[in-house]
Amino acid sequence: AQSVTQPDIHITVSEGASLELRCNYSYGATPYLFWYVQSPGQGLQLLLKYFSGDTLVQGIKGFEAEFKRSQSSFNLRKPSVHWSDAAEYFCAVTTGGGNKLTFGTGTQLKVEL
Amino acid sequence: ETGVTQTPRHLVMGMTNKKSLKCEQHLGHNAMYWYKQSAKKPLELMFVYNFKEQTENNSVPSRFSPECPNSSHLFLHLHTLQPEDSALYLCASSQDYTDTQYFGPGTRLTVL
C-alpha cells in the first residue's frame, strides 16, 4: 500500500529565512505527487503537483518542489518565507490510474517575525 | 460562487439528530469526494463519486450516507453519530477520476 511520511510535525522559521519541508513516499509505481496548504479553519489549497517531466516543479506563492526518485522524496522549498505562509502543509501521493489520494500527517509551519 | 463550496461551515449536533452536509462545485468537474480530517490523523478518504456513481466507499460506517444527485452536488447525510465522529469534513472535486482534486473549506462538525 502507498504511504506518505512527513517526518517534521512542527517547524519554526524566521521571516525571510529559507524553508524546506520534507516528504517521503512509499509506492512501487510512478507516483503522482502533490503539496497542499491549509490555513486555520480552511480547506486545502493546491500549491503544486508533479505528474511527469521536469523533476523541479514550480507552484503558487513562490513554492517549489523537487521529485527525487532515488530518495523517494518530494520536498517542498521556499527561498524566503513570509509571515502569511504560517499554515499546515500536506504532502499527498496517488497513482496515475486512480485518484485515491494518500496524505501525510502534515507539517505545521510557524513563522517568527 | 466559485470553486468548491460547503455548507454549513459549522455544525453542532446531538447523537440522536439527523443532519446533512452539502457540497457544491462550480468547476464543471465530474468526480466528487468526501474526506474526514481528525486531529493528529491523516486525511481519510470516505467516498468517491464519478459521474454521479459511487466508486469508492472506504469502509465508512452506515451512519454516514452519501448522496450525489448530479455532478455538481454532493451530500453527506448524518444520523446517530458518535462523539468520535467530530471532525472537519472536507469535500473535493476533480475533472475526472484521475485528475487533481480541489477542496472546499470544510464543515466543522461537533457531536455532543
Side-chain angles (χ1 to χ4, degrees):
Chain A
Q2 59 197 38
S3 66
V4 177
T5 301
Q6 293 181 249
D8 303 306
I9 298 174
H10 299 278
I11 281 185
T12 300
V13 299
S14 299
E15 189 176 37
S18 63
L19 172 70
E20 183 170 31
L21 302 182
R22 295 182 290 167
C23 173
N24 293 96
Y25 66 90
S26 172
Y27 192 68
T30 299
Y32 286 17
L33 296 156
F34 305 82
W35 275 100
Y36 286 88
V37 61
Q38 186 178 34
S39 298
Q42 300 298 314
L44 276 68
Q45 181 182 20
L46 179 68
L47 284 176
L48 47 79
K49 61 186 178 184
Y50 172 78
F51 284 6
S52 65
D54 191 347
T55 56
L56 183 63
V57 293
Q58 303 296 321
I60 62 171
K61 304 185 180 189
F63 286 91
E64 65 179 26
E66 186 171 12
F67 171 57
K68 292 186 177 180
R69 184 186 300 276
S70 61
Q71 298 177 22
S72 297
S73 69
F74 189 57
N75 294 348
L76 182 71
R77 301 194 295 247
K78 186 170 185 178
S80 178
V81 171
H82 188 262
W83 64 266
S84 60
D85 294 324
E88 190 157 21
Y89 292 79
F90 293 91
C91 182
V93 64
T94 189
T95 68
N99 212 0
K100 190 172 180 178
L101 277 175
T102 298
F103 284 86
T105 50
T107 297
Q108 186 71 47
L109 174 65
K110 180 181 175 182
V111 179
E112 291 182 332
L113 300 176
Chain B
E1 292 278 14
T2 59
V4 180
T5 58
Q6 291 186 241
T7 54
R9 293 294 308 277
H10 300 272
L11 178 63
V12 179
M13 59 186 289
M15 289 190 285
T16 59
N17 291 159
K18 290 185 179 181
K19 296 287 185 183
S20 296
L21 310 185
K22 178 183 176 182
C23 175
E24 183 173 2
Q25 58 94 1
H26 310 267
L27 301 169
H29 290 168
N30 298 307
M32 297 187 77
Y33 312 77
W34 278 118
Y35 286 87
K36 177 183 179 182
Q37 186 178 28
S38 304
K40 305 194 188 304
K41 293 177 66 176
L43 273 79
E44 302 170 62
L45 178 66
M46 300 175 71
F47 301 103
V48 181
Y49 279 81
N50 195 32
F51 289 95
K52 303 187 298 179
E53 298 298 319
Q54 187 180 120
T55 57
E56 187 91 25
N57 178 338
N58 204 21
S59 302
V60 180
S62 60
R63 57 185 183 270
F64 294 91
S65 175
E67 178 190 2
C68 189
N70 55 62
S71 292
S72 298
H73 294 87
L74 184 65
F75 296 88
L76 187 63
H77 304 299
L78 316 171
H79 64 97
T80 60
L81 294 190
Q82 304 299 311
E84 59 265 29
D85 297 322
S86 298
L88 182 68
Y89 288 85
L90 292 164
C91 174
S93 71
S94 61
Q95 181 61 48
D96 60 38
Y97 187 55
T98 64
D99 204 358
T100 303
Q101 294 179 33
Y102 294 88
F103 286 78
T107 295
R108 173 67 63 185
L109 174 66
T110 302
V111 181
L112 302 177

